[in-house]
Amino acid sequence: KAKTIYLPYIEPGDVEKRMRHRKGVRTDNWVESDRREIQQMVRLLRSAYEQGTSLTIGELSVIMNRSMSIIGRYIKNYYAEHPDEALPLRGYIYDQGSNPTHKALICTLHERGENEMDIARKTNHRLKSVGRYINHYQRVTQLMKRGMKIDDIARVIGIAKRVVLEYT
């Protein structure tokens, strides 16, 4: 179902930041430009989520006039600097794709003793998905402790070998 939302594409401080050109190494300006665009991307994602919807990487690509690979790089850079945060991307929320970041974050929070409801809220995930990740994680760790090989674990649990490696 289509929904109209209002996104804060430009904020007053954005114009000021772009008017200043720093003298120096050209790559420094590119790094600063990437940092501004990552902040803009996060602002757009959070605003959409607060309005009851989510954006895909493709939609961000069109809105920000950047290729999908650049948006993917921005997301990767954001997670590298903010490992305990989750961006409300549509594929992330609805558990699409093979991004291991959410599994790692969910399992880390579980290891810290947080309950599933809090983990779901913090990571913008459904409670059912959080429960499945924790269940798989616990089963993988139990079988690893028993000395079972990765291929066998994948077959027994019914998940891909790649996913077993993510949990390890």
Side-chain angles (χ1 to χ4, degrees):
K1 184 178 176 184
K3 181 175 185 174
T4 301
I5 60 172
Y6 298 95
L7 297 174
Y9 188 70
I10 298 173
E11 288 190 341
D14 292 344
V15 176
E16 279 294 318
K17 289 177 187 173
R18 290 177 188 270
M19 286 175 37
R20 287 188 224 121
H21 178 76
R22 293 183 352 202
K23 290 184 177 180
V25 181
R26 190 172 179 176
T27 55
D28 289 345
N29 287 319
W30 288 339
V31 168
E32 186 61 32
S33 175
D34 285 355
R35 190 172 294 124
R36 279 193 316 263
E37 289 190 356
I38 290 170
Q39 289 172 348
Q40 180 187 40
M41 176 191 73
V42 170
R43 184 173 64 226
L44 293 171
L45 287 168
R46 289 187 175 151
S47 177
Y49 188 71
E50 288 168 4
Q51 295 176 58
T53 189
S54 55
L55 300 172
T56 65
I57 291 174
E59 290 166 339
L60 279 172
S61 173
V62 171
I63 292 168
M64 295 179 67
N65 194 28
R66 295 290 176 261
S67 70
M68 288 178 59
S69 62
I70 294 293
I71 298 297
R73 189 182 80 209
Y74 287 168
I75 291 166
K76 185 177 180 181
N77 290 347
Y78 183 82
Y79 282 138
E81 291 183 23
H82 305 91
D84 289 343
E85 291 183 30
L87 292 174
L89 285 156
R90 185 171 303 146
Y92 185 89
I93 292 169
Y94 293 107
D95 202 20
Q96 300 166 333
S98 61
N99 187 351
T101 306
H102 55 279
K103 291 179 187 73
L105 178 56
I106 288 168
C107 293
T108 300
L109 293 172
H110 171 70
E111 286 290 319
R112 290 180 186 165
E114 297 199 27
N115 69 41
E116 290 183 22
M117 187 67 90
D118 288 340
I119 294 171
R121 183 181 41 76
K122 284 182 180 180
T123 61
N124 301 316
H125 263 68
R126 294 177 305 184
L127 186 59
K128 181 179 176 184
S129 296
V130 170
R132 186 177 65 252
Y133 292 145
I134 292 171
N135 182 24
H136 284 169
Y137 172 68
Q138 290 173 332
R139 291 173 71 193
V140 167
T141 54
Q142 280 179 340
L143 295 173
M144 290 286 291
K145 287 178 184 174
R146 292 184 184 177
M148 194 177 269
K149 295 180 182 178
I150 291 174
D151 289 329
D152 296 332
I153 293 172
R155 194 172 8 75
V156 167
I157 296 176
I159 58 178
K161 179 180 175 181
R162 171 187 51 79
V163 177
V164 173
L165 290 170
E166 289 173 17
Y167 285 120
T168 61

